[in-house]
Amino acid sequence: MPFNRGCYPKALAALPLTTVALGLASIAAGSATAASHIEPMGPPIQGAATAVQKGKYTIALSDAYVGNNWRKEMISGWTTEAKLAEKEGYIASYKVDITAENTAAAQIAQIDSLILQHVNAIDIDAASPTALNPVITKACDAGITVVVMDSLASAPCEYNLTNNTAQWGSDLAQIVINGLHGKGNIILAQGIEGSAPNAIAVAAQHKLLAKYPGIHIVATVDGEGSVATTQQAIAAVLPSLGKVNGVIDQTGAAGVFAAFKAAGRPLPVVAYTADGLSLRIWQQQLKADPKYTATGVGSDPGEGSAAFWESVLLLNKATFAGKTTPHMLVWPNLFISDKTLDEWLKVVPASDLCANVWTLPEVKNGILDNIDNKTVPPPPVPNFTV
Amino acid sequence: MKRPGWRLVYGRVPWAWPLAGVVAIILATTAVSGRGPVPDLQSALQQGAVVVILGLGQLFLITAGNGNVDLSMPGIITLAGFAGIGTAADTHSNFLGLLAAIGVGLGSGLVNIVLILVVAIPPIVGTLATGLLLDSVVLEVGASGPNTPGSLSQFSVERMAGIPVVALVALGVTLVAALVLHKTAFGRSVAAIGQSRKAALRSGLLVNSVVAGCYLISGSCAGVAGLLLSAMTGASIGIGDPYLLVSVAVVVLGGSRIRGGRSNVTGVWVGAVLLNVLLTLFYALHLSAAYQDIAEGCVIVGVLAGAADKLGATQ
C-alpha cells in the first residue's frame, strides 16, 4: 500500500514549524544529542523495552495548521502508523482532528472537545508555546496522555518529541565548512528574521564558525526561509563581493545556485535540504561531475509517526531498562548522504519533503537512546510500502 | 517643492529623479564595495526583469484607478510556475509551457473579474481572496512538483552581449504594453477611466469591459513572470510571495499616478532597477534586514512625497 509521504517545499526548511518552546527544549536537551551524525548509522540495536500490549485505546492527533507540506507529511506519517496500529490491535481507534486557522483559540476548543470525547491520548502540534498549557493540564487531569511534537507547548505534564534546531543549524554550517576543507569566503543566509528557531540556528552557526579561522563570512543576508527571497538576496549581494566559495543557507540549493548562475559565477559549496527539489539539483550536479559529494539535512516530518508510537508506549506504561519515558525526547534531523541519495530520489517527488517512517521498534530504541544520552540513529530510507 | 523647475521636470519625465537615484546608488555601491558598476547593473536587470513584467501588469490596473489592483499576483506567479514548468517538462515544449503559464494568469484574471465586476467586491479584497484560492490549489498540486527542463533554466540565465535574456523578454513585454497603453483606443480608455470613471461612463466607454481587460492583462503578466522566475529557481510553493509589494512599488516609483489616470511605462524599469541596486547597496553597507525595510520604506515614501503636489494638482 503505497502512501504519499514526501517533502515539503523548500520554503520551510526554515521554520514555520517551530517556536520559542522548541528553542528552550533544544537547550534543555542539548546534551542528549551533542554529537552530530552526518553519516547514517547501521540498523538500530534491539532495545530492552517492555512488550507492548494490545489495547482498547483511542488516540487523537490535534493540529491547527495545514498550510505547508511539512504539516501534511507529518499528518500523513501519523495517520499511516495509526492505521497500522489499529489493524494490528495496538489501539481500538484513532482520530485526526485538524483546523486550518493556525490559532491557539481554535486548537484549545479542539482539545476541549477531545477531552469530552474521552480519548486516551492526544498528540499535539501546538499553535502556541504557552496558550495551550491550561487545556493540556486539563487533559492530563482527566487522565489523558498528552504528547506535544514539533512546535512544543510548556505544560509540565506533557511529553515532548522534537527535532533539535541548534543541531540542525550547526549541521548546515558544518556541511559547508567540510566541503571547503575549513578555508574560504562564505555568505551566511539567515532564515526568518526575528523568529526564535532562526535565532537558535544562527547562534549555533556562529558558535561553530568561530572555531574555523580560515572561513570568512563576507556577507550576511536574509533569505526569510524562502527560495525566492534567498535568490533575490544572494543576487543583490553578489555584485558587491569578490570570490565566494560557499553559502550557508536554510532553503537548499535552488535559490543560491540560481543567483550564482545568473551572475555567471562558479557554483558555491552548499548544504542541501531534505526535499525533492534540492535532491534533484544535487542529482544534476552529480551528473555533471561524478565525483561531486554533498550532504542534505532537514527537519523530519516523520516525527508525527514517532509521536504516535510514543503515545502507544506511554499508554502501555512501557519501561525502558527499568526507566520510564523522559518528558523530553530529542529526535534526529533527517540526513541524506551520497549513499542514500538515490534511494530518496526514488520515493520523493520534486517539491515534496523527505520524511522518515518511524516504526514501533525504532521508537522504542530511540527512547532508550534518549535515556542513555545517545544520538538516535535514523531509520532506513522508507520504501513507502507498509 | 513648489519650484517650477521641479514641476517641469517631474511633469515631463516623472522618472528623472528615481533615475538620478539609481546612478547615485550604483556610484555609492561601487565606492563602498570597490567593485565595478557593470555586475551591479547586470544583476539589477536580471532580477528586475521579473519585477518589470509584474509592474506592467499592475500598471494597467493602477492606471484604470478606482482602487483597481491585483493582490492575487503572488498566487498566480506560484501556480503559473508549477503549470508552466510542468507542461514544458511533460510536452518537451517550452512554448506550450508558456501558454500554460499564461492560461493560469487568464483563468485567475477571470476569477478576479467575477469577484470584482459581478459580485462587486472591492478589488483589494476580491483579488486577495483569489490569491488565497490559488495558494490552496498550489498546496494540492504542489505535492507532485515538476523538474525544470534544462533548456528552460539555461534560457533564464543566458546573456546576449552582456544583457540578460530575461531582461530582453521584459523589454518585449514593455514595448507591447507601451503600444497598447498609448496608441490604442483600449489604452486611452484605461487612462480615461482612471481620470474620471463617471466621465468615461457618460462618454459611452464600456468601462467594465475595459477594466476586465486590465485584469486579464495583469494575470497574463503574472503568469509570464511566474514561468521566468520558476525557470530560474525551480517551481516551489511560496515563490511568488516576496513580489506583492514590489509589483506595486515599481509602478509608483516610476512616476505613474497611484490614483490612476496617468501611466508611465519607462518609469516601471527605473523603479525596478532602483529597488534592486538599493538592495545591493544595503548589503554592501551590511545593513540588517530590519534597517533595510525601514530604508526601503523611506525611499518609497520619499518618492511619493516628492510627487505629492503633482498628485493633488490633478485631483
Side-chain angles (χ1 to χ4, degrees), chain A residues 10 72 221-222 228-229 231-233 235-237 239-242 254 258 262-263 265 280 350-352, chain B residues 33 35 40 43 46-47 139 142-143 145 147 157 159 232-233 236-237 239 242-243 279-280 283 286 289:
Chain A
K10 48 281 47 311
K72 280 168 56 180
V221 302
D222 297 287
T229 309
Q231 191 267 135
Q232 283 181 329
V237 74
S240 67
L241 300 175
R265 287 172 179 245
R280 275 160 183 79
S351 92
D352 267 12
Chain B
S33 71
R35 294 177 57 83
D40 201 356
S43 166
Q46 172 87 31
Q47 298 302 312
L139 267 182
N147 277 331
V157 295
R159 282 184 191 157
M232 278 192 246
T233 59
S236 60
I237 294 176
I239 198 172
Y243 289 91
L279 196 55
T280 305
Y283 280 128
H286 301 290

mmCIF file of all heavy atoms in Angstrom, chain A residues 10 72 221-222 228-229 231-233 235-237 239-242 254 258 262-263 265 280 350-352, chain B residues 33 35 40 43 46-47 139 142-143 145 147 157 159 232-233 236-237 239 242-243 279-280 283 286 289:
data_model
loop_
_atom_site.group_PDB
_atom_site.id
_atom_site.type_symbol
_atom_site.label_atom_id
_atom_site.label_comp_id
_atom_site.label_asym_id
_atom_site.label_seq_id
_atom_site.Cartn_x
_atom_site.Cartn_y
_atom_site.Cartn_z
ATOM 1 N N LYS A 10 10.693 23.648 -0.205
ATOM 2 C CA LYS A 10 11.878 24.307 0.278
ATOM 3 C C LYS A 10 11.598 25.353 1.305
ATOM 4 O O LYS A 10 12.283 25.471 2.288
ATOM 5 C CB LYS A 10 12.535 24.998 -0.872
ATOM 6 C CG LYS A 10 11.547 25.797 -1.664
ATOM 7 C CD LYS A 10 10.654 25.173 -2.631
ATOM 8 C CE LYS A 10 9.825 24.116 -2.731
ATOM 9 N NZ LYS A 10 9.619 23.060 -2.606
ATOM 10 N N LYS A 72 1.508 18.523 6.243
ATOM 11 C CA LYS A 72 0.799 17.470 5.507
ATOM 12 C C LYS A 72 1.527 16.138 5.649
ATOM 13 O O LYS A 72 0.916 15.095 5.871
ATOM 14 C CB LYS A 72 0.668 17.845 4.032
ATOM 15 C CG LYS A 72 -0.477 18.822 3.781
ATOM 16 C CD LYS A 72 -0.476 19.453 2.409
ATOM 17 C CE LYS A 72 -0.473 18.489 1.268
ATOM 18 N NZ LYS A 72 -0.479 19.178 -0.045
ATOM 19 N N VAL A 221 23.015 37.675 4.677
ATOM 20 C CA VAL A 221 21.783 38.128 4.022
ATOM 21 C C VAL A 221 20.584 37.428 4.660
ATOM 22 O O VAL A 221 20.740 36.460 5.411
ATOM 23 C CB VAL A 221 21.790 37.841 2.498
ATOM 24 C CG1 VAL A 221 22.964 38.512 1.834
ATOM 25 C CG2 VAL A 221 21.805 36.341 2.227
ATOM 26 N N ASP A 222 19.384 37.940 4.352
ATOM 27 C CA ASP A 222 18.180 37.372 4.935
ATOM 28 C C ASP A 222 17.356 36.662 3.878
ATOM 29 O O ASP A 222 16.784 37.297 3.001
ATOM 30 C CB ASP A 222 17.363 38.474 5.604
ATOM 31 C CG ASP A 222 18.145 39.077 6.746
ATOM 32 O OD1 ASP A 222 18.275 38.404 7.771
ATOM 33 O OD2 ASP A 222 18.671 40.198 6.593
ATOM 34 N N ALA A 228 12.710 31.968 -3.127
ATOM 35 C CA ALA A 228 12.668 33.179 -3.959
ATOM 36 C C ALA A 228 13.391 34.334 -3.278
ATOM 37 O O ALA A 228 14.163 35.059 -3.908
ATOM 38 C CB ALA A 228 11.219 33.559 -4.250
ATOM 39 N N THR A 229 13.160 34.515 -1.977
ATOM 40 C CA THR A 229 13.809 35.606 -1.270
ATOM 41 C C THR A 229 15.310 35.361 -1.155
ATOM 42 O O THR A 229 16.109 36.284 -1.297
ATOM 43 C CB THR A 229 13.195 35.780 0.135
ATOM 44 O OG1 THR A 229 11.781 35.860 -0.012
ATOM 45 C CG2 THR A 229 13.694 37.039 0.797
ATOM 46 N N GLN A 231 17.123 33.756 -3.286
ATOM 47 C CA GLN A 231 17.668 34.044 -4.614
ATOM 48 C C GLN A 231 17.853 35.550 -4.811
ATOM 49 O O GLN A 231 18.908 36.007 -5.245
ATOM 50 C CB GLN A 231 16.712 33.448 -5.664
ATOM 51 C CG GLN A 231 17.252 33.420 -7.074
ATOM 52 C CD GLN A 231 16.850 34.651 -7.861
ATOM 53 O OE1 GLN A 231 17.678 35.230 -8.541
ATOM 54 N NE2 GLN A 231 15.627 35.086 -7.758
ATOM 55 N N GLN A 232 16.827 36.329 -4.442
ATOM 56 C CA GLN A 232 16.905 37.789 -4.576
ATOM 57 C C GLN A 232 18.033 38.357 -3.730
ATOM 58 O O GLN A 232 18.802 39.206 -4.177
ATOM 59 C CB GLN A 232 15.593 38.432 -4.101
ATOM 60 C CG GLN A 232 14.459 38.330 -5.080
ATOM 61 C CD GLN A 232 13.205 39.021 -4.541
ATOM 62 O OE1 GLN A 232 12.982 39.066 -3.330
ATOM 63 N NE2 GLN A 232 12.399 39.557 -5.421
ATOM 64 N N ALA A 233 18.108 37.888 -2.488
ATOM 65 C CA ALA A 233 19.085 38.450 -1.560
ATOM 66 C C ALA A 233 20.508 38.135 -2.015
ATOM 67 O O ALA A 233 21.384 39.001 -2.014
ATOM 68 C CB ALA A 233 18.844 37.903 -0.155
ATOM 69 N N ALA A 235 21.458 37.374 -5.091
ATOM 70 C CA ALA A 235 21.709 38.108 -6.337
ATOM 71 C C ALA A 235 22.042 39.561 -6.041
ATOM 72 O O ALA A 235 22.862 40.177 -6.721
ATOM 73 C CB ALA A 235 20.489 38.019 -7.254
ATOM 74 N N ALA A 236 21.399 40.108 -5.017
ATOM 75 C CA ALA A 236 21.640 41.511 -4.703
ATOM 76 C C ALA A 236 23.017 41.722 -4.081
ATOM 77 O O ALA A 236 23.664 42.736 -4.321
ATOM 78 C CB ALA A 236 20.556 42.023 -3.754
ATOM 79 N N VAL A 237 23.482 40.774 -3.291
ATOM 80 C CA VAL A 237 24.737 40.986 -2.574
ATOM 81 C C VAL A 237 25.956 40.630 -3.432
ATOM 82 O O VAL A 237 27.030 41.196 -3.274
ATOM 83 C CB VAL A 237 24.768 40.188 -1.242
ATOM 84 C CG1 VAL A 237 24.961 38.708 -1.475
ATOM 85 C CG2 VAL A 237 25.833 40.740 -0.320
ATOM 86 N N PRO A 239 27.062 41.330 -6.515
ATOM 87 C CA PRO A 239 27.851 42.330 -7.233
ATOM 88 C C PRO A 239 28.835 43.083 -6.340
ATOM 89 O O PRO A 239 29.828 43.624 -6.821
ATOM 90 C CB PRO A 239 26.791 43.294 -7.782
ATOM 91 C CG PRO A 239 25.549 42.496 -7.846
ATOM 92 C CD PRO A 239 25.631 41.538 -6.697
ATOM 93 N N SER A 240 28.565 43.143 -5.030
ATOM 94 C CA SER A 240 29.448 43.906 -4.149
ATOM 95 C C SER A 240 30.554 43.020 -3.556
ATOM 96 O O SER A 240 31.348 43.498 -2.755
ATOM 97 C CB SER A 240 28.623 44.534 -3.019
ATOM 98 O OG SER A 240 28.120 43.530 -2.168
ATOM 99 N N LEU A 241 30.618 41.744 -3.969
ATOM 100 C CA LEU A 241 31.571 40.824 -3.347
ATOM 101 C C LEU A 241 32.612 40.302 -4.325
ATOM 102 O O LEU A 241 32.367 40.216 -5.527
ATOM 103 C CB LEU A 241 30.827 39.619 -2.752
ATOM 104 C CG LEU A 241 29.783 39.909 -1.679
ATOM 105 C CD1 LEU A 241 29.063 38.630 -1.292
ATOM 106 C CD2 LEU A 241 30.422 40.562 -0.462
ATOM 107 N N GLY A 242 33.773 39.936 -3.783
ATOM 108 C CA GLY A 242 34.789 39.242 -4.569
ATOM 109 C C GLY A 242 34.448 37.767 -4.627
ATOM 110 O O GLY A 242 33.290 37.391 -4.720
ATOM 111 N N ALA A 254 18.463 25.669 -4.485
ATOM 112 C CA ALA A 254 17.779 26.243 -5.646
ATOM 113 C C ALA A 254 18.012 27.748 -5.789
ATOM 114 O O ALA A 254 18.458 28.221 -6.837
ATOM 115 C CB ALA A 254 16.280 25.947 -5.563
ATOM 116 N N ALA A 258 20.662 29.563 -8.478
ATOM 117 C CA ALA A 258 20.072 30.444 -9.495
ATOM 118 C C ALA A 258 20.782 31.792 -9.490
ATOM 119 O O ALA A 258 21.102 32.340 -10.550
ATOM 120 C CB ALA A 258 18.580 30.624 -9.237
ATOM 121 N N ALA A 262 23.064 33.177 -12.581
ATOM 122 C CA ALA A 262 22.688 34.423 -13.246
ATOM 123 C C ALA A 262 23.839 35.418 -13.220
ATOM 124 O O ALA A 262 23.974 36.252 -14.105
ATOM 125 C CB ALA A 262 21.444 35.021 -12.584
ATOM 126 N N ALA A 263 24.688 35.353 -12.186
ATOM 127 C CA ALA A 263 25.815 36.276 -12.093
ATOM 128 C C ALA A 263 27.026 35.732 -12.846
ATOM 129 O O ALA A 263 28.086 36.372 -12.869
ATOM 130 C CB ALA A 263 26.165 36.509 -10.625
ATOM 131 N N ARG A 265 28.856 33.156 -12.078
ATOM 132 C CA ARG A 265 29.923 32.739 -11.158
ATOM 133 C C ARG A 265 29.931 31.220 -10.978
ATOM 134 O O ARG A 265 28.917 30.564 -11.146
ATOM 135 C CB ARG A 265 29.700 33.375 -9.780
ATOM 136 C CG ARG A 265 29.993 34.862 -9.730
ATOM 137 C CD ARG A 265 29.554 35.398 -8.391
ATOM 138 N NE ARG A 265 29.820 36.832 -8.266
ATOM 139 C CZ ARG A 265 30.686 37.346 -7.397
ATOM 140 N NH1 ARG A 265 31.392 36.563 -6.602
ATOM 141 N NH2 ARG A 265 30.854 38.650 -7.320
ATOM 142 N N ARG A 280 17.072 16.889 -6.438
ATOM 143 C CA ARG A 280 17.204 16.812 -7.889
ATOM 144 C C ARG A 280 18.297 17.746 -8.400
ATOM 145 O O ARG A 280 18.980 17.446 -9.385
ATOM 146 C CB ARG A 280 15.866 17.093 -8.552
ATOM 147 C CG ARG A 280 15.043 15.820 -8.626
ATOM 148 C CD ARG A 280 13.567 16.023 -8.818
ATOM 149 N NE ARG A 280 12.883 14.726 -8.812
ATOM 150 C CZ ARG A 280 12.597 14.043 -7.707
ATOM 151 N NH1 ARG A 280 12.936 14.520 -6.517
ATOM 152 N NH2 ARG A 280 11.991 12.877 -7.783
ATOM 153 N N ALA A 350 9.746 15.748 -6.775
ATOM 154 C CA ALA A 350 10.245 17.115 -6.647
ATOM 155 C C ALA A 350 9.188 17.923 -5.911
ATOM 156 O O ALA A 350 8.006 17.664 -6.032
ATOM 157 C CB ALA A 350 10.501 17.706 -8.030
ATOM 158 N N SER A 351 9.607 18.873 -5.118
ATOM 159 C CA SER A 351 8.727 19.740 -4.326
ATOM 160 C C SER A 351 7.902 18.999 -3.278
ATOM 161 O O SER A 351 6.947 19.536 -2.752
ATOM 162 C CB SER A 351 7.851 20.638 -5.205
ATOM 163 O OG SER A 351 6.635 20.080 -5.485
ATOM 164 N N ASP A 352 8.289 17.793 -2.936
ATOM 165 C CA ASP A 352 7.803 17.178 -1.711
ATOM 166 C C ASP A 352 8.947 17.155 -0.712
ATOM 167 O O ASP A 352 10.094 17.354 -1.079
ATOM 168 C CB ASP A 352 7.330 15.747 -1.968
ATOM 169 C CG ASP A 352 5.849 15.713 -2.273
ATOM 170 O OD1 ASP A 352 5.296 16.792 -2.509
ATOM 171 O OD2 ASP A 352 5.279 14.627 -2.292
ATOM 172 N N SER B 33 32.036 48.996 -2.083
ATOM 173 C CA SER B 33 32.499 47.628 -2.279
ATOM 174 C C SER B 33 33.791 47.561 -3.077
ATOM 175 O O SER B 33 34.457 46.538 -3.098
ATOM 176 C CB SER B 33 31.425 46.808 -3.004
ATOM 177 O OG SER B 33 31.323 47.229 -4.354
ATOM 178 N N ARG B 35 34.019 47.486 -6.204
ATOM 179 C CA ARG B 35 33.842 46.684 -7.412
ATOM 180 C C ARG B 35 33.068 47.481 -8.459
ATOM 181 O O ARG B 35 32.291 48.364 -8.130
ATOM 182 C CB ARG B 35 33.110 45.385 -7.090
ATOM 183 C CG ARG B 35 33.914 44.473 -6.208
ATOM 184 C CD ARG B 35 33.134 43.231 -5.862
ATOM 185 N NE ARG B 35 32.713 42.511 -7.061
ATOM 186 C CZ ARG B 35 33.472 41.661 -7.729
ATOM 187 N NH1 ARG B 35 34.694 41.433 -7.334
ATOM 188 N NH2 ARG B 35 33.018 41.049 -8.789
ATOM 189 N N ASP B 40 26.835 45.069 -11.085
ATOM 190 C CA ASP B 40 25.723 45.607 -10.323
ATOM 191 C C ASP B 40 24.505 45.801 -11.228
ATOM 192 O O ASP B 40 23.392 45.399 -10.915
ATOM 193 C CB ASP B 40 26.164 46.948 -9.723
ATOM 194 C CG ASP B 40 25.313 47.333 -8.528
ATOM 195 O OD1 ASP B 40 24.364 46.601 -8.245
ATOM 196 O OD2 ASP B 40 25.619 48.355 -7.915
ATOM 197 N N SER B 43 23.125 42.467 -12.658
ATOM 198 C CA SER B 43 22.332 41.781 -11.642
ATOM 199 C C SER B 43 20.970 42.450 -11.491
ATOM 200 O O SER B 43 19.946 41.782 -11.397
ATOM 201 C CB SER B 43 23.088 41.799 -10.313
ATOM 202 O OG SER B 43 22.229 41.447 -9.267
ATOM 203 N N GLN B 46 18.793 41.453 -14.428
ATOM 204 C CA GLN B 46 18.358 40.059 -14.316
ATOM 205 C C GLN B 46 17.220 39.934 -13.301
ATOM 206 O O GLN B 46 16.183 39.341 -13.573
ATOM 207 C CB GLN B 46 19.551 39.190 -13.876
ATOM 208 C CG GLN B 46 19.199 37.753 -13.542
ATOM 209 C CD GLN B 46 19.222 36.851 -14.770
ATOM 210 O OE1 GLN B 46 19.990 37.083 -15.705
ATOM 211 N NE2 GLN B 46 18.380 35.844 -14.792
ATOM 212 N N GLN B 47 17.460 40.510 -12.120
ATOM 213 C CA GLN B 47 16.463 40.401 -11.056
ATOM 214 C C GLN B 47 15.252 41.280 -11.351
ATOM 215 O O GLN B 47 14.126 40.962 -10.988
ATOM 216 C CB GLN B 47 17.071 40.833 -9.711
ATOM 217 C CG GLN B 47 18.219 39.975 -9.265
ATOM 218 C CD GLN B 47 17.817 38.530 -9.147
ATOM 219 O OE1 GLN B 47 16.800 38.216 -8.552
ATOM 220 N NE2 GLN B 47 18.585 37.635 -9.755
ATOM 221 N N LEU B 139 -1.055 24.195 -3.021
ATOM 222 C CA LEU B 139 -0.763 23.196 -1.983
ATOM 223 C C LEU B 139 -1.199 21.811 -2.425
ATOM 224 O O LEU B 139 -0.560 20.810 -2.112
ATOM 225 C CB LEU B 139 -1.485 23.561 -0.691
ATOM 226 C CG LEU B 139 -0.700 24.400 0.309
ATOM 227 C CD1 LEU B 139 -1.524 24.628 1.557
ATOM 228 C CD2 LEU B 139 0.618 23.727 0.662
ATOM 229 N N GLY B 142 1.002 21.017 -5.677
ATOM 230 C CA GLY B 142 2.432 21.171 -5.411
ATOM 231 C C GLY B 142 3.102 19.904 -4.943
ATOM 232 O O GLY B 142 4.309 19.783 -4.989
ATOM 233 N N ALA B 143 2.297 18.923 -4.482
ATOM 234 C CA ALA B 143 2.886 17.699 -3.959
ATOM 235 C C ALA B 143 3.569 16.883 -5.052
ATOM 236 O O ALA B 143 4.429 16.075 -4.777
ATOM 237 C CB ALA B 143 1.820 16.853 -3.275
ATOM 238 N N GLY B 145 5.469 18.136 -7.711
ATOM 239 C CA GLY B 145 6.143 19.205 -8.446
ATOM 240 C C GLY B 145 7.022 18.710 -9.572
ATOM 241 O O GLY B 145 7.526 17.602 -9.539
ATOM 242 N N ASN B 147 10.196 18.762 -12.545
ATOM 243 C CA ASN B 147 11.591 19.116 -12.764
ATOM 244 C C ASN B 147 11.677 20.197 -13.835
ATOM 245 O O ASN B 147 11.012 20.099 -14.853
ATOM 246 C CB ASN B 147 12.373 17.909 -13.272
ATOM 247 C CG ASN B 147 12.805 17.006 -12.144
ATOM 248 O OD1 ASN B 147 13.010 17.477 -11.023
ATOM 249 N ND2 ASN B 147 12.926 15.730 -12.426
ATOM 250 N N VAL B 157 19.111 32.191 -17.481
ATOM 251 C CA VAL B 157 20.335 32.871 -17.035
ATOM 252 C C VAL B 157 21.243 33.248 -18.211
ATOM 253 O O VAL B 157 22.363 33.709 -18.020
ATOM 254 C CB VAL B 157 21.129 32.013 -16.023
ATOM 255 C CG1 VAL B 157 20.313 31.826 -14.756
ATOM 256 C CG2 VAL B 157 21.507 30.671 -16.614
ATOM 257 N N ARG B 159 22.853 35.228 -21.425
ATOM 258 C CA ARG B 159 23.068 36.650 -21.714
ATOM 259 C C ARG B 159 23.378 36.845 -23.191
ATOM 260 O O ARG B 159 24.017 35.994 -23.806
ATOM 261 C CB ARG B 159 24.255 37.185 -20.910
ATOM 262 C CG ARG B 159 23.886 37.459 -19.491
ATOM 263 C CD ARG B 159 25.043 38.072 -18.759
ATOM 264 N NE ARG B 159 24.729 38.069 -17.345
ATOM 265 C CZ ARG B 159 25.629 38.106 -16.392
ATOM 266 N NH1 ARG B 159 26.905 38.159 -16.698
ATOM 267 N NH2 ARG B 159 25.268 38.117 -15.140
ATOM 268 N N MET B 232 14.226 30.123 -13.291
ATOM 269 C CA MET B 232 15.472 30.471 -12.595
ATOM 270 C C MET B 232 15.710 29.586 -11.376
ATOM 271 O O MET B 232 16.794 29.060 -11.181
ATOM 272 C CB MET B 232 15.431 31.931 -12.129
ATOM 273 C CG MET B 232 15.785 32.953 -13.191
ATOM 274 S SD MET B 232 16.039 34.571 -12.415
ATOM 275 C CE MET B 232 14.693 35.501 -13.072
ATOM 276 N N THR B 233 14.683 29.429 -10.525
ATOM 277 C CA THR B 233 14.911 28.790 -9.222
ATOM 278 C C THR B 233 14.209 27.450 -9.071
ATOM 279 O O THR B 233 14.398 26.793 -8.061
ATOM 280 C CB THR B 233 14.414 29.689 -8.075
ATOM 281 O OG1 THR B 233 13.023 29.927 -8.255
ATOM 282 C CG2 THR B 233 15.136 31.008 -8.055
ATOM 283 N N SER B 236 8.359 26.272 -6.826
ATOM 284 C CA SER B 236 8.235 25.868 -5.434
ATOM 285 C C SER B 236 7.152 26.693 -4.760
ATOM 286 O O SER B 236 6.860 27.807 -5.179
ATOM 287 C CB SER B 236 9.560 26.030 -4.703
ATOM 288 O OG SER B 236 9.974 27.373 -4.725
ATOM 289 N N ILE B 237 6.575 26.121 -3.721
ATOM 290 C CA ILE B 237 5.475 26.787 -3.026
ATOM 291 C C ILE B 237 5.984 28.084 -2.383
ATOM 292 O O ILE B 237 7.063 28.120 -1.814
ATOM 293 C CB ILE B 237 4.874 25.833 -1.980
ATOM 294 C CG1 ILE B 237 4.213 24.664 -2.702
ATOM 295 C CG2 ILE B 237 3.864 26.548 -1.107
ATOM 296 C CD1 ILE B 237 3.671 23.591 -1.800
ATOM 297 N N ILE B 239 6.847 30.812 -3.929
ATOM 298 C CA ILE B 239 7.869 31.509 -4.713
ATOM 299 C C ILE B 239 7.414 32.926 -5.086
ATOM 300 O O ILE B 239 8.223 33.821 -5.263
ATOM 301 C CB ILE B 239 8.240 30.687 -5.967
ATOM 302 C CG1 ILE B 239 9.573 31.163 -6.542
ATOM 303 C CG2 ILE B 239 7.176 30.757 -7.027
ATOM 304 C CD1 ILE B 239 10.074 30.284 -7.652
ATOM 305 N N PRO B 242 7.329 37.069 -2.208
ATOM 306 C CA PRO B 242 8.048 38.331 -1.998
ATOM 307 C C PRO B 242 7.685 39.419 -3.018
ATOM 308 O O PRO B 242 8.204 40.522 -2.920
ATOM 309 C CB PRO B 242 9.519 37.947 -2.152
ATOM 310 C CG PRO B 242 9.573 36.467 -2.163
ATOM 311 C CD PRO B 242 8.233 36.006 -2.616
ATOM 312 N N TYR B 243 6.834 39.130 -3.973
ATOM 313 C CA TYR B 243 6.656 40.052 -5.092
ATOM 314 C C TYR B 243 5.410 40.935 -5.015
ATOM 315 O O TYR B 243 5.158 41.726 -5.922
ATOM 316 C CB TYR B 243 6.659 39.279 -6.421
ATOM 317 C CG TYR B 243 8.025 38.761 -6.751
ATOM 318 C CD1 TYR B 243 8.430 37.503 -6.347
ATOM 319 C CD2 TYR B 243 8.948 39.563 -7.419
ATOM 320 C CE1 TYR B 243 9.701 37.032 -6.613
ATOM 321 C CE2 TYR B 243 10.222 39.107 -7.699
ATOM 322 C CZ TYR B 243 10.591 37.838 -7.293
ATOM 323 O OH TYR B 243 11.857 37.388 -7.560
ATOM 324 N N LEU B 279 18.984 47.378 -2.870
ATOM 325 C CA LEU B 279 19.219 46.184 -2.056
ATOM 326 C C LEU B 279 20.720 45.858 -2.027
ATOM 327 O O LEU B 279 21.279 45.518 -0.979
ATOM 328 C CB LEU B 279 18.417 45.015 -2.638
ATOM 329 C CG LEU B 279 18.198 43.789 -1.768
ATOM 330 C CD1 LEU B 279 17.562 44.170 -0.445
ATOM 331 C CD2 LEU B 279 17.317 42.773 -2.491
ATOM 332 N N THR B 280 21.360 45.968 -3.201
ATOM 333 C CA THR B 280 22.799 45.694 -3.251
ATOM 334 C C THR B 280 23.568 46.663 -2.365
ATOM 335 O O THR B 280 24.477 46.279 -1.632
ATOM 336 C CB THR B 280 23.313 45.791 -4.700
ATOM 337 O OG1 THR B 280 22.542 44.924 -5.518
ATOM 338 C CG2 THR B 280 24.776 45.394 -4.788
ATOM 339 N N TYR B 283 23.230 45.723 1.278
ATOM 340 C CA TYR B 283 24.087 44.603 1.666
ATOM 341 C C TYR B 283 25.546 45.026 1.721
ATOM 342 O O TYR B 283 26.294 44.586 2.598
ATOM 343 C CB TYR B 283 23.889 43.428 0.713
ATOM 344 C CG TYR B 283 22.662 42.627 1.045
ATOM 345 C CD1 TYR B 283 21.707 42.332 0.090
ATOM 346 C CD2 TYR B 283 22.460 42.179 2.344
ATOM 347 C CE1 TYR B 283 20.577 41.590 0.409
ATOM 348 C CE2 TYR B 283 21.333 41.448 2.671
ATOM 349 C CZ TYR B 283 20.394 41.155 1.698
ATOM 350 O OH TYR B 283 19.288 40.433 2.022
ATOM 351 N N HIS B 286 26.207 46.401 4.843
ATOM 352 C CA HIS B 286 25.944 45.450 5.940
ATOM 353 C C HIS B 286 24.781 45.894 6.816
ATOM 354 O O HIS B 286 24.820 45.762 8.039
ATOM 355 C CB HIS B 286 27.199 45.239 6.794
ATOM 356 C CG HIS B 286 28.348 44.706 5.997
ATOM 357 N ND1 HIS B 286 28.372 43.424 5.501
ATOM 358 C CD2 HIS B 286 29.484 45.293 5.576
ATOM 359 C CE1 HIS B 286 29.490 43.244 4.825
ATOM 360 N NE2 HIS B 286 30.177 44.365 4.850
ATOM 361 N N ALA B 289 18.318 43.229 8.136
ATOM 362 C CA ALA B 289 17.034 43.169 7.428
ATOM 363 C C ALA B 289 16.065 44.242 7.907
ATOM 364 O O ALA B 289 15.382 44.884 7.104
ATOM 365 C CB ALA B 289 16.405 41.792 7.601
#
